[in-house]
Amino acid sequence: MGTYNQTWESEFILLGLSSDWDTQVSLFVLLLAMYLVTVLGNFLIVLLIRLDSRLHTPMYFFLTNLSLVDVSYATSIVPQLLVHFLAEHKGIPFLSCAAQLFFSLALGGIEFVLLAVMAYDRYVAVCDPLRYSVIMHGGLCTRLAIASWVSGSINSLMQTTITFQLPMCTNKYIDHISCELLAVVRLACVDTSSNEVAIVVSSIVLLMTPFFLVLLSYIQIISTILKIRSTQGRRKAFHTCASHLTVVALCYGMAIFTYAQPHSSPSVLQEKLISLFYAILTPMLNPMIYSLRNKEVKGAWQKLLGQFSGLTSKLARR
């Protein structure tokens, strides 16, 4: 193993999406705009929840965590990608690559667990509304959020450690937009079946298990909603879950497609596009989904804008 350690490269080369200059410039402009919208949208959601006391509930506490995870995930990948669009040399130092893999993998894992926690919150809200405030108390919410962050980070630390212990020999070209787990594992010049087993186990623990918990929660939620006699009551109950269900479909769908079966994985181009979708589109859409489909958030926006316009009018009169 000692001889293998000498074959590590000091940096890797990311091949990215395209080698055509015009295409890279176009992608730079598009992704920069999307990244700015992502950062602004998630920042505004967090700010709104902090400022409006009506949103100081477990659901919006978890949504704050989700927004922080989303903007952090996008930031772990997109700025480096933007730099590479305009750079002739698309290298990334060894330590930066390891750090990028750790943070992107950790934040992805945190999001999966967090979405399962949010599904449990919706389950209690719909299936046991009278005891909701007793069950979902501040202490439990804090512990569930901490568990999400810790479990995702521990899994990522283990995956990153075993991945970068692989001998890479003289391979330094990563055919991807970032230092993504499967793309880095492919650089190894030894049998990687043990790593693939670890990826599958990790997928079961941090991806499939939360996913099945979400499914179980929504089976119970739908069963409860169908027992509600009034159409208005059913519509109101379903509306409380619609935003979360949309986000779940986006996040879990892409991740399961990519990681659940490393042996029968999609083409490299598909992997790149899925990673790009997950890194920029999902974090950008999540605040919009919660803003457009949620009456409480829309009401808070209107209140905040009303206060802002009132303040502006007062300053103008002076």
Side-chain angles (χ1 to χ4, degrees):
M1 196 66 184
T3 56
Y4 283 135
N5 288 338
Q6 297 172 9
T7 64
W8 280 104
E9 297 289 335
S10 60
E11 71 168 7
F12 298 105
I13 306 295
L14 291 165
L15 298 183
L17 283 169
S18 172
S19 58
D20 179 69
W21 172 250
D22 291 336
T23 303
Q24 291 185 78
V25 171
S26 300
L27 287 170
F28 173 85
V29 174
L30 176 64
L31 293 184
L32 177 61
M34 292 175 71
Y35 177 66
L36 293 176
V37 171
T38 298
V39 173
L40 181 63
N42 283 283
F43 172 75
L44 287 175
I45 283 285
V46 172
L47 182 65
L48 189 68
I49 293 170
R50 293 281 296 173
L51 292 177
D52 197 315
S53 58
R54 293 174 300 176
L55 302 181
H56 292 175
T57 63
M59 175 181 172
Y60 294 105
F61 169 72
F62 295 128
L63 180 56
T64 298
N65 278 266
L66 183 65
S67 290
L68 293 173
V69 169
D70 278 341
V71 76
S72 299
Y73 186 88
T75 302
S76 72
I77 292 174
V78 179
Q80 166 260 310
L81 181 60
L82 291 172
V83 169
H84 280 192
F85 279 139
L86 301 182
E88 192 172 329
H89 179 69
K90 304 182 190 304
I92 181 169
F94 173 85
L95 289 178
S96 298
C97 186
Q100 185 180 63
L101 176 59
F102 169 77
F103 284 111
S104 60
L105 203 56
L107 292 161
I110 292 165
E111 181 154 15
F112 300 141
V113 180
L114 199 55
L115 287 171
V117 168
M118 293 173 78
Y120 174 70
D121 172 72
R122 294 299 84 204
Y123 160 76
V124 177
V126 173
C127 300
D128 201 355
L130 297 179
R131 295 202 308 139
Y132 178 75
S133 58
V134 175
I135 297 172
M136 298 304 294
H137 56 84
L140 177 64
C141 292
T142 302
R143 288 196 292 272
L144 288 172
I146 291 172
S148 302
W149 286 83
V150 170
S151 58
S153 300
I154 290 175
N155 171 70
S156 179
L157 181 62
M158 291 170 58
Q159 290 286 352
T160 304
T161 301
I162 63 173
T163 297
F164 280 92
Q165 281 181 346
L166 287 170
M168 301 296 175
C169 298
T170 57
N171 296 339
K172 66 175 183 177
Y173 292 95
I174 301 177
D175 194 4
H176 212 277
I177 61 170
S178 66
C179 290
E180 190 265 349
L181 180 60
L182 296 176
V184 175
V185 168
R186 288 194 197 101
L187 296 183
C189 56
V190 293
D191 178 47
T192 60
S193 36
S194 59
N195 290 77
E196 289 171 1
V197 169
I199 292 170
V200 171
V201 171
S202 171
S203 298
I204 292 170
V205 173
L206 271 188
L207 179 56
M208 299 309 296
T209 301
F211 177 67
F212 284 120
L213 289 174
V214 170
L215 281 182
L216 186 62
S217 296
Y218 273 101
I219 288 170
Q220 295 292 327
I221 288 169
I222 292 168
S223 175
T224 301
I225 289 174
L226 292 176
K227 291 175 185 175
I228 300 173
R229 293 183 179 179
S230 71
T231 306
Q232 184 68 25
R234 285 198 298 270
R235 188 180 294 115
K236 184 179 179 182
F238 180 76
H239 190 76
T240 64
C241 307
S243 299
H244 177 257
L245 198 54
T246 307
V247 172
V248 163
L250 281 172
C251 294
Y252 282 111
M254 288 297 112
I256 289 171
F257 186 63
T258 307
Y259 289 109
Q261 296 177 317
H263 276 296
S264 57
S265 57
S267 71
V268 173
L269 179 59
Q270 280 180 301
E271 280 187 11
K272 292 179 185 181
L273 293 175
I274 291 168
S275 295
L276 190 61
F277 177 95
Y278 195 76
I280 189 69
L281 198 59
T282 302
M284 184 181 75
L285 290 177
N286 285 356
M288 297 180 187
I289 291 167
Y290 275 97
S291 297
L292 296 175
R293 299 184 63 93
N294 195 295
K295 289 182 179 179
E296 290 90 349
V297 174
K298 285 193 281 190
W301 276 124
Q302 290 167 358
K303 179 184 174 184
L304 184 63
L305 290 172
Q307 291 174 342
F308 180 75
S309 60
L311 180 62
T312 306
S313 300
K314 285 181 183 179
L315 291 173
R317 289 192 203 105
R318 291 181 183 179

